[in-house]
Amino acid sequence: MKIATYNVNGVNGRLPVLLQWLETARPDVVCLQELKAQQTNFPAAAIRDAGYDAIWLGQKSWNGVAILARDVTIHETRRGLPGDPDLSQSRYIEAAVNGVLVGCLYLPNGNPAPGPKFDYKLRWFEALTAHAASLMASGAPVVLAGDYNVMPTDLDVYKPERWKGDALFRPEVRNAYASLLDQGWTDALRALHPDEKIYTFWDYFRNGFSRDAGLRIDHLLLSPSLRNRLREAEVDRHVRGWAKTSDHAPVWIQLEDLPSPAFR
């Protein structure tokens, strides 16, 4: 089972890129962030024609999350994060897909920091951590995938010294991420690439991609039962080099299939 996360940075503007990647990569499940489309403007027909069922939580101009699934039914379990301090922002959707509970999230950026946006980011992180604890306690196989807007360690940013005061790299945020992992979650990409410089985002400005001046901010966290099924974890960084593409690249994992899923 191949599960991916991809911040598309505008699902309609980047639709040709998304469809090309879906055709070539053929993931089974995809979490999308930054749809930047209100609920009625999501390109459901085009995605359906590409072979994917979809659920989504849109928002005009900003945010927005979606889960796509190929050849299987999506059973939506939640839209909106419990305890979200601002439910007007579309940042979380969750579904059961082929025996795995998938939470798709777009954690706030938080800049400028300190300030109200950074405070909101920390409150949202607290709500995510509380919900993640309840998912962990359920014993279900869970993937929490999305744009976390966190570089967990110095290895995850091209020049750490330049990011010390940024909301994506401040100690409060990295500590929050570490606390989340302490519940028992596995950072899939880092588990299989423990010492590798590997990025998922490159800014459009100052030729960030060509200089490989990147950040690792898109993560897939696995509950304990899925850790044992993890076989691959990679970044499709070539997609970042396509024309009119997102500033993020898709990140994906390959899980060993089970003969009989726990639920469908």
Side-chain angles (χ1 to χ4, degrees), residues 53-71:
D53 190 15
I55 60 171
W56 64 95
L57 182 60
Q59 183 178 339
K60 185 178 181 180
S61 301
W62 306 105
N63 305 323
V65 285
I67 298 175
L68 318 183
R70 182 168 58 89
D71 298 332

Side-chain angles (χ1 to χ4, degrees), residues 10 13 17 41 48 55 63 69 71 73 81-82 101-102 127 132 139 146 185 190 192 200 218 228 235 259 262:
V17 172
N41 289 343
R48 185 169 54 250
I55 60 171
N63 305 323
D71 298 332
T73 303
L81 182 68
L101 190 64
V102 178
W185 301 95
R190 193 50 77 203
L192 296 188
T200 66
D218 304 274
N228 297 328
V235 179

Side-chain angles (χ1 to χ4, degrees), residues 1 72-77 94-103 135 138-143 223 225-226 229 258-264:
M1 185 178 185
V72 294
T73 303
I74 303 173
H75 297 280
E76 184 178 317
T77 56
E94 183 182 287
V97 187
N98 199 26
V100 176
L101 190 64
V102 178
L135 294 176
S138 75
V142 182
V143 177
S223 63
S225 63
L226 292 182
R229 293 170 55 187
L258 291 178
S260 339
F263 47 84
R264 288 185 178 273

Side-chain angles (χ1 to χ4, degrees), residues 11-188:
V11 69
N12 288 301
R14 316 284 181 197
L15 186 59
V17 172
L18 174 61
L19 294 178
Q20 181 181 352
W21 173 70
L22 290 174
E23 181 179 4
T24 56
R26 293 184 59 79
D28 298 298
V29 181
V30 185
C31 294
L32 301 179
Q33 304 86 40
E34 274 202 271
L35 302 180
K36 296 183 177 178
Q38 56 189 346
Q39 194 70 10
T40 55
N41 289 343
F42 184 81
I47 287 173
R48 185 169 54 250
D49 289 345
Y52 286 82
D53 190 15
I55 60 171
W56 64 95
L57 182 60
Q59 183 178 339
K60 185 178 181 180
S61 301
W62 306 105
N63 305 323
V65 285
I67 298 175
L68 318 183
R70 182 168 58 89
D71 298 332
V72 294
T73 303
I74 303 173
H75 297 280
E76 184 178 317
T77 56
R78 183 178 298 278
R79 51 179 55 209
L81 182 68
D84 189 332
D86 184 359
L87 288 172
S88 69
Q89 299 195 31
S90 300
R91 294 186 176 275
Y92 188 85
I93 195 166
E94 183 182 287
V97 187
N98 199 26
V100 176
L101 190 64
V102 178
C104 173
L105 64 100
Y106 177 45
L107 207 138
N109 177 286
N111 279 304
K117 291 185 178 181
F118 187 64
D119 294 340
Y120 171 58
K121 178 173 190 166
L122 294 180
R123 292 198 304 272
W124 206 93
F125 221 138
E126 290 173 359
L128 174 64
T129 302
H131 182 54
S134 69
L135 294 176
M136 183 67 72
S138 75
V142 182
V143 177
L144 292 176
D147 179 354
Y148 282 71
N149 271 315
V150 179
M151 295 98 77
T153 71
D154 286 4
L155 187 60
D156 301 307
V157 51
Y158 71 103
K159 286 191 175 179
E161 66 278 6
R162 293 189 178 181
W163 291 83
K164 294 300 184 184
D166 193 275
L168 280 66
F169 201 52
R170 286 177 66 97
E172 303 96 317
V173 174
R174 287 184 289 157
N175 290 341
Y177 187 82
S179 294
L180 182 59
L181 294 187
D182 285 344
Q183 293 179 349
W185 301 95
T186 294
D187 181 331

Side-chain angles (χ1 to χ4, degrees), residues 233-256:
E234 300 293 342
V235 179
D236 283 346
R237 62 171 290 150
H238 64 281
V239 177
R240 177 60 181 83
W242 291 354
K244 298 181 179 178
T245 193
S246 171
D247 42 9
H248 294 249
V251 186
W252 56 269
I253 60 172
Q254 185 75 47
L255 300 176
E256 182 179 15

